[in-house]
């Protein structure tokens, strides 16, 4: 049995100092992922620093009309907050579809940003996995990979990113705020999630001991009509095969004037569909153009015999979702 020391931090500075001063340590928020991985021996910290008592549960307006979400705000509370439901309904839907009520009551927004993949080869603690043991290989490349990514993959990792709300936040250009040993910084959310490339074990640009303290969501007027649709193997709580966040404005001439589009379940990171957005801005909002934009987004998809269906599935999901928005 491996001993693990538990320490409850009373302040942000105390939490940062405790983790940064101990090489085999980790922050503990809701624990909905960390405790599972600890039990599976996937992660093996010798010190857990509990941050649940830190004053980071707030949800407040910011000067640009957006919202600042404290890192310890629970997913359930954020999903049902009036300002989120009204200004960012797609984000609220992503949160509600992300987990069971019990898990949402525990899971924190900051912790969700650091959620680890559900790849079975990562979590079994034994198979070759470059995320868990750099240089060991990727068993998923030739293994059971039906649920794995088709965008943003590399020769070293094809694990799909599991978060739902991160898909919405990527589409909304959110910003991650942190405090670490070297002070404070802000990280644009698309720079926060790192593709696997040659270093799948490096998933975020966080330094050891750097703590997420808040997430800023800017004012995005078109987000008031946003939607999040999640396709999965069962209606009950399950990770996405394909999910779509969309927020679109069509002008009086019937052309796409503004579009925010992001995908879940298909990428190694929450996937902002930049190619599809660029293909549609200024073009007529028609199913034919939606299909062409979806084709452009998946032009570089890398598939396996087991997950090739995701490309067709995702393209159809994009066309259906955007068509319903304009109907």
């Amino acid at each position: 049995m491996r001993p693990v020391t538990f320490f409850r931090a009373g302040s942000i500075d105390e939490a940062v100092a405790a983790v940064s001063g101990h090489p085999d340590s980790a922050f503990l928020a809701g624990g909905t992922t960390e405790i599972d991985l600890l039990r599976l021996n996937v992660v093996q910290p010798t010190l857990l620093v509990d941050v649940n008592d830190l004053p980071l549960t707030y949800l407040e307006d910011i000067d640009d009309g957006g919202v600042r979400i404290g890192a310890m705000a629970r997913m359930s509370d954020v999903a049902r907050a009036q300002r989120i439901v009204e200004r960012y309904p797609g984000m609220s839907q992503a949160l509600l579809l992300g987990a069971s009520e019990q898990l949402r009551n525990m899971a924190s927004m900051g912790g969700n940003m650091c959620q680890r993949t559900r790849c079975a080869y990562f979590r079994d603690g034994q198979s070759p996995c470059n995320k868990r043991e750099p240089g060991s290989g990727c068993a998923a490349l030739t293994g059971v990979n039906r649920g794995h990514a088709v965008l943003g993959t590399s020769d070293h990792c094809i694990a799909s990113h599991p978060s739902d709300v991160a898909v919405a936040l990527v589409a909304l250009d959110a910003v991650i705020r942190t405090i670490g040993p070297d002070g404070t910084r802000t990280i644009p959310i698309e720079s926060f999630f790192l593709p696997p490339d040659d270093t799948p074990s490096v998933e975020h640009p966080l330094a050891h001991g750097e703590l997420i303290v808040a997430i800023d969501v800017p004012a995005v007027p078109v987000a008031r009509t946003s939607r999040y649709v999640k396709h999965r193997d069962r209606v009950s709580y399950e990770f996405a095969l394909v999910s779509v966040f969309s927020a679109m404005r069509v002008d009086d001439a019937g052309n796409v004037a503004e579009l925010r589009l992001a995908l879940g379940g298909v990428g190694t990171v929450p996937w902002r569909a930049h190619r599809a957005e660029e293909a549609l801005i200024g073009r007529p909002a028609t199913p034919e153009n939606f299909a062409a934009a979806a084709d452009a987004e998946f032009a570089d998809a890398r598939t396996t015999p087991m997950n090739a269906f995701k490309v067709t599935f995702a393209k159809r999901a994009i066309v259906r979702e955007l068509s319903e928005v304009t109907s």
Side-chain angles (χ1 to χ4, degrees), residues 62-67 87-88 172-173 216-224 258 260:
I62 53 180
D63 290 342
D64 73 348
V67 173
R87 300 179 205 175
Y88 314 100
L172 295 168
D173 292 324
D216 287 358
V217 187
V220 181
V222 73
R224 289 182 176 271
E258 189 174 357
R260 303 288 184 114

Side-chain angles (χ1 to χ4, degrees), residues 19-193:
V19 173
S20 61
H22 193 295
D24 297 320
S25 59
F27 295 113
L28 180 66
T32 55
T33 292
E34 188 73 16
I35 297 301
D36 285 348
L37 297 180
L38 186 65
R39 289 170 174 165
L40 293 168
N41 287 319
V42 173
V43 297
Q44 300 182 352
T46 56
L47 171 65
L48 287 176
V49 177
D50 187 338
V51 295
N52 282 280
D53 286 347
L54 303 187
L56 299 173
T57 59
Y58 53 82
L59 187 66
E60 59 190 26
D61 292 338
I62 53 180
D63 290 342
D64 73 348
V67 173
R68 179 165 296 160
I69 304 169
M72 286 307 303
R74 306 299 176 177
M75 288 172 58
S76 288
D77 295 333
V78 177
R80 293 189 170 91
Q82 184 176 358
R83 50 167 63 92
I84 299 298
V85 174
E86 290 179 353
R87 300 179 205 175
Y88 314 100
M91 187 204 307
S92 175
Q93 293 159 14
L95 284 163
L96 292 173
L97 291 169
S100 68
E101 187 77 16
Q102 294 92 332
L103 287 174
R104 294 199 309 271
N105 287 342
M106 285 298 297
S108 68
M109 291 294 292
N112 189 277
M113 297 301 96
C114 297
Q115 185 178 179
R116 307 301 299 276
T117 181
R118 259 48 188 187
C119 173
Y121 300 109
F122 168 76
R123 296 173 70 87
D124 71 10
Q126 298 178 355
S127 301
C129 174
N130 289 316
K131 275 189 180 293
R132 189 184 65 250
E133 186 179 349
S136 63
C138 176
L141 287 170
T142 56
V144 178
N145 49 38
R146 177 176 176 271
H148 285 65
V150 298
L151 294 173
T153 62
S154 75
D155 291 336
H156 305 282
C157 183
I158 59 171
S160 57
H161 195 277
S163 176
D164 289 289
V165 69
V167 176
L169 292 170
V170 163
L172 295 168
D173 292 324
V175 173
I176 305 292
R177 291 183 170 271
T178 70
I179 296 178
D182 297 323
T184 63
R185 66 171 172 153
T186 57
I187 307 171
I189 196 162
E190 278 199 88
S191 299
F192 182 79
F193 298 109

Side-chain angles (χ1 to χ4, degrees), residues 199-210:
T199 54
S201 61
V202 182
E203 298 177 359
H204 313 103
L206 297 174
H208 185 64
E210 189 172 6

Side-chain angles (χ1 to χ4, degrees), residues 213-296:
V213 294
I215 302 166
D216 287 358
V217 187
V220 181
V222 73
R224 289 182 176 271
T225 60
S226 61
R227 296 159 47 120
Y228 183 78
V229 176
K230 182 176 182 178
H231 301 280
R232 45 196 168 173
D233 281 326
R234 59 184 184 186
V235 175
S236 185
Y237 300 104
E238 179 62 281
F239 294 96
L241 289 172
V242 173
S243 65
V244 181
F245 176 96
S246 63
M248 183 167 65
R249 179 172 63 86
V250 178
D251 63 23
D252 293 339
N255 297 322
V256 177
E258 189 174 357
L259 176 63
R260 303 288 184 114
L261 187 66
L263 308 172
V266 295
T268 55
V269 296
W271 194 264
R272 181 73 179 267
H274 288 293
R275 287 183 178 179
E277 290 177 353
E278 293 170 2
L280 283 171
I281 295 297
R283 301 290 303 281
T286 64
E288 293 76 18
N289 284 337
F290 299 155
D295 286 341

